[in-house]
Amino acid sequence: MKSGTADVDVVVVGAGFGGLAMLYRLRESGYSIQGVEVGDGVGGTWFWNRYPGARVDVQSVEYSLSLSREVQDEWTWTELMAPQEELERYVNFVADRLDLRRNIKFNTQVTAMTWDEASATWLVETAQGDQWRARFVVTAVGCLSAPLEPAIEGLHSFAGVSLYTNRFPKEGFDFTGKRTAIIGTGSSGVQATPVVARQAEHLYVFQRSAAYTMPAGNRPWRPGEFEALRADYDAIRAVQFASPLGAARFGAVAIGDFRTPPPKILETPREERFARLERDGWLAATAFAWADAAIDIEANRAAQELYAEMIRREVKDPETAAALVPHYPMGCKRPIIDIGYFETFNRDNVTLVDLRKGAIRRVTPEGIETEQGFFPLDVIVYATGFDAMTGALNRIDIRGRDGALMRETWLAEGPRTYLGLMVAGFPNLFTITGPGSPSVLTNMVSSIEQHSQWIVDCLDHLREARRRTIEAEPQAQEDWVAHVATLAEGGVRVHESCTSWYLGANVPGKVRVYMPYAGGLNVYRDRCDEIAKAGYAGFTLA
Ligand code: NAP
């Protein structure tokens, strides 16, 4: 398959779950491969986000690769939802067991990819001076991998220790005796808070928007439980891949439990709503629990009332409890599951700093100055998020046909893809879990497996059909972008008061576009398969 000028059939950018799955499948199908990874190890998300408390929110038996029987049969998960250390060990096991390391160049940052029309190859260049000519490129750069530095004045002037959850030191950090701040209460801040609170002399949690979070229900396996699950993997995978979320469970809860029965909250008398709260606890206080809560803003507010009640039951200080109640619609941002988050605010050494009562003015060498006073600190932990879904791709100079720079369009109009897999004008470039695919709305590993399989099948088809290139047709792309937008319409996810990273609303100046495909992974997979079956409808093969 190698053309005269190509060094390699496929360059794969990134060595997290996506990169490893892709490299393995490509090598199995006989392609020459080159992996490139900026870190010095495999793992992607689980390599960088090693902050205290980091843990997956999908059950590990589902948040794991099915592509190798050996990997599946030989790995033992120790608890329901694995912590970062275990996930990093797992990804390393995968790389070793499938012998993928020899195909990856580590400590290497891809800075540019340029399409050459004459040779129909991509020139891939790195900050370290490497150059590869490849017939195809697959980006597996992650949806939440481009760290966002908050625009806080004086951030770099702090004389103490500044830490970032998404680039946490490998050797860890001992917070003992330290006056510590965590800025940010998304998934990362919420997970880190209880663990840091147990160590720090005092922990100040700087909250701009309160979190919708509920107990994860994580636990170690009961005797024999994991062995039984492992023996039943075929059935587990079948259910997992047939589900819209690419997982049969969210946290400890079977997705079905969220759905049965789904009455409308606005048609449920108030006392019955609270009776359900008594029966189902936090589950009754989610947008999943009521048929109308994710669509109707009034229904959403009614569900929020239940959520506020649950917080009041957990948090002793009424003022803190009130401040922990979110002011934006439930379900607009990614739901969070935690281990002991609300109880943490009952500790004497923890203070919630509600930034709605006075914003951060600046960071000084000694601490954080706010409109509500000064906080002297030894450590600041930034849990302030990512330029999600497009950030990692936009940071690479990707030039397609006629020298067109991909980010130029994406920054101006939002991301434009066909199936979240390819971009018109950028032949032979595939984007694993790209914008416009279900990705972040699903179990990422399920989406990664689906994409990597579809891509290798596509390359096999090109090989058999003796075609050099495949490219998304502009009209198919426009139709897909419109379809993705339609699927998101009307619900709380795109409500004007929603400022989620799904919409790019956490990045100043980013175009407000709902980026993931919201139709469910099962429906999406069928669509992708139909398109392939129809001879790659909407793609030009040449
Ligand atoms: P995030 O959800 O974007 O949260 C960032 C937090 O920082 C928000 O509370 C944000 O407030 C706050 N913030 C940002 N800039 C600020 C500023 N200048 N001043 C004060 N506060 C500021 O980021 P994340 O927590 O890293 O999570 C991102 C995503 O990664 C999650 O949604 C999830 O998909 C994934 N993740 C998953 C897990 C898991 O599954 N276990 C764990 C971690 C992350 P505003 O909301 O007001 O902007």
Side-chain angles (χ1 to χ4, degrees), residues 51 55 57 184-188 191 208-209 333 383-386 501:
Y51 58 86
R55 182 183 294 277
D57 60 1
T185 50
S187 303
S188 305
Q191 286 192 327
R208 190 165 69 182
S209 306
K333 296 188 184 187
T384 43
F386 302 86
W501 54 255

Side-chain angles (χ1 to χ4, degrees), residues 320-355:
T320 305
L324 284 165
V325 178
H327 290 79
Y328 57 92
M330 174 184 278
C332 110
K333 296 188 184 187
R334 159 96 172 203
I336 306 174
I337 54 177
D338 67 83
I339 300 180
Y341 181 65
F342 289 118
E343 297 96 290
T344 300
F345 293 96
N346 294 331
R347 295 176 67 104
D348 293 336
N349 72 330
V350 175
T351 303
L352 179 71
V353 182
D354 179 5
L355 296 174

Side-chain angles (χ1 to χ4, degrees), residues 174-393:
D174 184 2
F175 291 91
T176 308
K178 307 279 191 219
R179 297 163 304 171
T180 303
I182 292 181
I183 302 182
T185 50
S187 303
S188 305
V190 164
Q191 286 192 327
T193 290
V195 186
V196 174
R198 289 198 288 274
Q199 272 181 25
E201 181 187 300
H202 199 95
L203 173 64
Y204 299 91
V205 178
F206 283 72
Q207 171 191 279
R208 190 165 69 182
S209 306
Y212 283 106
T213 176
M214 62 177 215
N218 184 52
R219 57 172 174 77
W221 302 116
R222 300 182 183 110
E225 187 180 3
F226 175 66
E227 289 67 23
L229 286 170
R230 183 156 56 186
D232 202 25
Y233 247 128
D234 289 345
I236 291 171
R237 297 300 186 195
V239 175
Q240 170 183 346
F241 288 120
S243 96
L245 301 184
R249 296 171 188 81
F250 176 62
V253 182
I255 302 292
D257 294 353
F258 283 120
R259 297 223 176 105
T260 47
K264 288 189 172 175
I265 195 165
L266 292 182
E267 290 174 2
T268 307
R270 210 160 164 278
E271 59 278 14
E272 271 180 43
R273 298 174 194 171
F274 279 84
R276 188 159 178 216
L277 200 68
E278 295 307 326
R279 196 182 71 225
D280 296 342
W282 287 100
L283 260 190
T286 65
F288 303 101
W290 306 96
D292 46 355
I295 321 157
D296 180 329
I297 201 74
E298 281 314 310
N300 199 279
R301 289 198 184 107
Q304 279 180 51
E305 195 192 353
L306 301 180
Y307 189 78
E309 171 61 19
M310 288 304 289
I311 295 176
R312 277 193 292 275
R313 291 180 185 186
E314 296 285 344
V315 179
K316 290 188 188 131
D317 174 48
E319 201 185 331
T320 305
L324 284 165
V325 178
H327 290 79
Y328 57 92
M330 174 184 278
C332 110
K333 296 188 184 187
R334 159 96 172 203
I336 306 174
I337 54 177
D338 67 83
I339 300 180
Y341 181 65
F342 289 118
E343 297 96 290
T344 300
F345 293 96
N346 294 331
R347 295 176 67 104
D348 293 336
N349 72 330
V350 175
T351 303
L352 179 71
V353 182
D354 179 5
L355 296 174
R356 291 169 61 91
K357 296 183 182 138
I360 294 176
R361 279 203 184 117
R362 60 185 66 83
V363 172
T364 74
E366 290 78 33
I368 299 177
E369 190 186 315
T370 73
E371 287 166 359
Q372 49 186 303
F374 182 73
F375 296 85
L377 295 164
D378 303 306
V379 183
I380 301 176
V381 181
Y382 294 93
T384 43
F386 302 86
D387 183 354
M389 308 207 63
T390 52
L393 287 168

